[in-house]
Amino acid sequence: MSVHDELTSVQRCLDDLARSVGRLEQQLGSGGLDMRRVRADADHLRESVALLRAAASAPAAPRRPDLVTIPDTPYDDSLWIDSDDEGLGARDRHAP
């Protein structure tokens, strides 16, 4: 099956779930915490499938990560003038 077919199948299952949750709400009432949680979870699933459907329909261009060139030349020593040595503290101060 293609991705589109799978998403359509999942959407049908979610529609069945939404109908079942609606029937449960009619029987049990929608005021309880458990019922609200089930309704919220079903809604989140619906939103997630919608996001998947949108991502699947977008053209998938392979994206290479941007390469960062690191020069072989040493760093400028002025970058480290006010820095502390890790674990040792500043050069002109003593440890407590």
Side-chain angles (χ1 to χ4, degrees), residues 12-93:
R12 273 190 305 240
C13 292
L14 283 176
D15 292 341
D16 291 342
L17 176 66
R19 283 190 292 277
S20 297
V21 168
R23 286 192 299 268
L24 275 175
E25 277 184 319
Q26 289 175 352
Q27 294 174 0
L28 300 175
S30 60
L33 176 64
D34 293 336
M35 197 66 233
R36 285 185 292 171
R37 183 174 290 159
V38 168
R39 170 59 68 190
D41 289 345
D43 291 342
H44 286 135
L45 282 172
R46 204 176 262 280
E47 292 170 9
S48 297
V49 169
L51 290 172
L52 280 175
R53 187 179 294 275
S57 66
R63 187 177 184 285
R64 287 183 35 197
D66 296 333
L67 298 179
V68 177
T69 305
I70 300 173
D72 290 335
T73 58
Y75 289 112
D76 182 12
D77 286 338
S78 66
L79 292 172
W80 316 112
I81 288 189
D82 292 334
S83 67
D84 293 345
D85 288 329
E86 185 176 335
L88 300 177
R91 294 173 203 190
D92 58 344
R93 292 183 295 211

